[in-house]
Amino acid sequence: MNFIKHSRLHTVLAGFLAAVILALPLAGCALTAAVPDSSLRTESSAVTNNPAPQINPSGSAETSGQSAKKTDSAAASGAKTSSETKQSQKTTTAAPKTQAASDGQTLKKTSGDALADNGVQFSVPKSFAAQSGYTYVDQREGYNYLPDLASRAVYKQIFESAYKISAATTSEGYYPTQKIVVSGSRLSEAQLRVILLAFLNDNPQVFWLANAYSYAYSNDSTYIQLYSVVSQPNCTAMIQKMNQKVSAVISAMPAGLSELDRELYLFHYIAQNCTYNNAAVSDSSIWQAFSSYGVLIDGTAVCEGYSRAMQLLSSYAGLQCMLLSGQSSGVNHMWNVIKIDGSWYHLDTTWGDSDTEVYNYFNLNDTAIAQSRTIFPSASTLTDDQIDGTVGGEAAKCNLTVPVCTATAANYFRAKAAKVSSSLEDSTVTAALTSAVQSKSSSVSFYIDESVDFETVMAGMTTSSPYELLKCVNAVNSKQAAGSRIDTDNLQYLGDKVNRGITLFLKYK
């Protein structure tokens, strides 16, 4: 994943706010952020009070999916992840960190023979019912993008194939899944890539598919071979473990939450239980880091894993959520687009993950996200030669569909932060700090009203007279007992001009 240039995190010291210029790596982004390649993988876990829906022959979409590599001839168009490190809480000019990363794991065509007999397949479990007060949502933006019934039929066959794994391995160590036969039709390389991308992007619960595939033609039919990175017994055990974890996460979610509060619940869960896997940036064998399994079971992942885990959990929380990929400062990155109260927003759980959660990338519109990254084009704007790599020698990096995000109502600062229209609003700031102290919160955020100049008000709150934040912290501390006072020697804040927000990070003594 890529690290974005980030707002400055400043340290507050005795009586004034000093802008200590230190690097602030936000998890999932590095100061120079380089994105680890995202291997198209996802995890199998379905939890909700209703069993996850599955695709059926009638054409209704089902849950399942992960990344598969192309084995013989195709280069991947999958999103890459950028290397990031967890953010340290001190300091100021914090551009997300980046490390040089190799190309992300992409769909690769292997040397496997799609016409060969791949042996006997054994089934792995699909889904189960989970306790939740929310209606399960099928994530089917990729499926809905597919242009014709034939492509959608192959998508459904992939779903069935993924759950039947051969006992024998290939020379590359993969376990073939059930062969897919498309009778009477020769699918092009570009068609195959788009269908696979649609499946992988819709199904974060199918984590075991390798980043590889092979295909062949015979008698005007197309034979497609996908592969698992783990054996059937291991896959079954991993699925069961994932099912238990997802069930626990969703069952613990309070009933009756708004869509925004459900999103926040999942955001906090991931940030508090996962760290960025820097090793996976240069070691593609750590495939779990690119899947929801890495986040939910291993507790470590790259941006693709963060995004797929958020998508998976969103399904069971009743939220529509999809993957989006692009670049920041030339480094590939993946994040989510999520629908809240009928409107789409950009959500980056990786860049929001730090020692304390950062909300600068929580529910942004297109204008705000454009300040830090470029979105890969929709496949519909590309030619087949661009998609399959005939032109340029490398398959195009693309999204299947890119929702328009224009709303701002569910942006974190607008929806959840204390509203400030002057650097002299003692009552608003003091009330927000008091509430934070009572709950021992690690941060408190403020939204600067659009009627005033953001930089002027932020300066008055932080680095210039009347030093509103420090003044109000001292006032709140005067009423607190030892152990519940905000540590004024360790105050830090992070500004967000794009979203007109300020977050003050708190420690106690």
Side-chain angles (χ1 to χ4, degrees):
M1 157 173 313
N2 192 330
F3 287 85
I4 288 184
K5 286 286 184 183
H6 199 276
S7 303
R8 298 175 181 180
L9 177 64
H10 299 270
T11 299
V12 181
L13 298 174
F16 69 93
L17 295 172
V20 180
I21 301 179
L22 300 178
L24 173 61
L26 294 180
C29 329
L31 284 177
T32 4
V35 219
D37 302 317
S38 52
S39 91
L40 299 173
R41 300 186 194 284
T42 353
E43 169 75 44
S44 113
S45 136
V47 208
T48 176
N49 45 1
N50 307 344
Q54 298 183 351
I55 289 186
N56 58 53
S58 67
S60 66
E62 153 145 22
T63 71
S64 147
Q66 163 128 346
S67 67
K69 292 179 180 180
K70 186 179 177 185
T71 62
D72 269 329
S73 57
S77 70
K80 298 178 181 179
T81 54
S82 102
S83 106
E84 305 177 15
T85 63
K86 279 291 209 184
Q87 163 174 342
S88 108
Q89 254 200 36
K90 288 215 162 199
T91 79
T92 215
T93 300
K97 276 189 176 181
T98 65
Q99 297 178 347
S102 59
D103 229 16
Q105 295 183 343
T106 55
L107 287 172
K108 297 178 182 178
K109 187 175 179 185
T110 73
S111 57
D113 183 356
L115 291 177
D117 181 7
N118 59 12
V120 178
Q121 290 87 39
F122 298 92
S123 297
V124 295
K126 288 189 178 179
S127 62
F128 64 96
Q131 297 302 313
S132 165
Y134 304 102
T135 303
Y136 180 88
V137 172
D138 249 339
Q139 311 297 346
R140 285 295 167 262
E141 294 302 317
Y143 178 84
N144 293 335
Y145 169 86
L146 295 176
D148 50 57
L149 292 177
S151 295
R152 293 183 177 190
V154 176
Y155 179 112
K156 296 174 193 177
Q157 286 182 274
I158 294 173
F159 183 83
E160 295 304 321
S161 167
Y163 286 90
K164 295 186 182 299
I165 301 173
S166 296
T169 63
T170 67
S171 60
E172 295 178 319
Y174 295 131
Y175 295 86
T177 63
Q178 186 177 66
K179 195 181 308 297
I180 297 166
V181 180
V182 185
S183 300
S185 178
R186 289 194 170 217
L187 298 178
S188 70
E189 178 82 11
Q191 285 178 294
L192 283 172
R193 295 186 65 80
V194 168
I195 295 168
L196 287 170
L197 183 59
F199 178 82
L200 297 171
N201 281 5
D202 282 352
N203 296 288
Q205 74 280 9
V206 184
F207 60 86
W208 55 90
L209 286 184
N211 235 7
Y213 69 94
S214 59
Y215 68 95
Y217 302 115
S218 178
N219 298 325
D220 292 326
S221 294
T222 305
Y223 293 78
I224 305 167
Q225 182 64 67
L226 303 181
Y227 305 87
S228 171
V229 293
V230 293
S231 66
Q232 179 267 334
N234 286 340
C235 187
T236 295
M238 294 170 79
I239 290 172
Q240 292 171 344
K241 187 179 293 187
M242 274 290 288
N243 286 346
Q244 293 169 1
K245 173 62 72 174
V246 177
S247 182
V249 174
I250 298 302
S251 297
M253 178 183 288
L257 294 181
S258 67
E259 291 188 354
L260 177 58
D261 286 339
R262 277 175 262 163
E263 178 190 13
L264 272 168
Y265 177 91
L266 300 180
F267 173 83
H268 289 313
Y269 177 83
I270 291 174
Q272 292 165 11
N273 291 277
C274 187
T275 57
Y276 194 82
N277 192 323
N278 289 288
V281 175
S282 56
D283 185 354
S284 60
S285 68
I286 310 176
W287 61 266
Q288 298 92 329
F290 297 88
S291 73
S292 55
Y293 190 92
V295 173
L296 296 170
I297 302 302
D298 298 333
T300 179
V302 294
C303 65
E304 182 174 345
Y306 277 81
S307 301
R308 293 184 185 279
M310 184 66 194
Q311 182 188 36
L312 174 61
L313 294 175
S314 291
S315 286
Y316 295 99
L319 301 174
Q320 193 170 352
C321 181
M322 57 179 286
L323 306 179
L324 207 61
S325 57
Q327 288 188 334
S328 179
S329 301
V331 180
N332 293 326
H333 183 52
M334 181 181 283
W335 64 98
N336 294 109
V337 182
I338 190 166
K339 184 177 280 189
I340 301 297
D341 298 327
S343 297
W344 287 103
Y345 296 88
H346 296 272
L347 170 67
D348 196 327
T349 54
T350 315
W351 285 14
D353 183 14
S354 175
D355 291 342
T356 298
E357 287 82 22
V358 174
Y359 301 104
N360 294 40
Y361 306 99
F362 190 100
N363 289 359
L364 274 59
N365 62 15
D366 289 334
T367 300
I369 201 71
Q371 305 299 311
S372 61
R373 65 198 67 178
T374 322
I375 299 172
F376 288 144
S378 169
S380 63
T381 66
L382 303 174
T383 66
D384 283 0
D385 286 348
Q386 289 173 314
I387 292 173
D388 66 19
T390 301
V391 172
E394 179 182 6
K397 300 174 181 67
C398 62
N399 293 289
L400 295 183
T401 182
V402 182
V404 175
C405 304
T406 57
T408 59
N411 172 263
Y412 179 83
F413 293 107
R414 286 179 180 267
K416 294 295 183 179
K419 307 299 187 295
V420 176
S421 58
S422 165
S423 56
L424 297 172
E425 291 190 19
D426 290 9
S427 59
T428 300
V429 175
T430 300
L433 287 168
T434 300
S435 178
V437 168
Q438 290 173 345
S439 61
K440 281 296 181 70
S441 175
S442 57
S443 69
V444 59
S445 295
F446 302 92
Y447 174 74
I448 309 303
D449 191 84
E450 291 181 336
S451 64
V452 296
D453 181 70
F454 174 83
E455 292 183 344
T456 298
V457 175
M458 187 175 78
M461 294 180 73
T462 57
T463 58
S464 303
S465 178
Y467 304 104
E468 186 70 11
L469 288 179
L470 188 60
K471 180 176 70 173
C472 292
V473 165
N474 287 330
V476 171
N477 276 350
S478 68
K479 301 178 182 180
Q480 306 301 319
S484 296
R485 298 189 185 108
I486 298 172
D487 185 354
T488 54
D489 291 331
N490 284 290
L491 281 177
Q492 295 148 358
Y493 71 93
L494 189 61
D496 183 353
K497 184 177 180 180
V498 173
N499 296 298
R500 304 187 68 80
I502 302 174
T503 299
L504 181 66
F505 299 95
L506 308 175
K507 293 184 178 181
Y508 298 88
K509 65 177 183 179

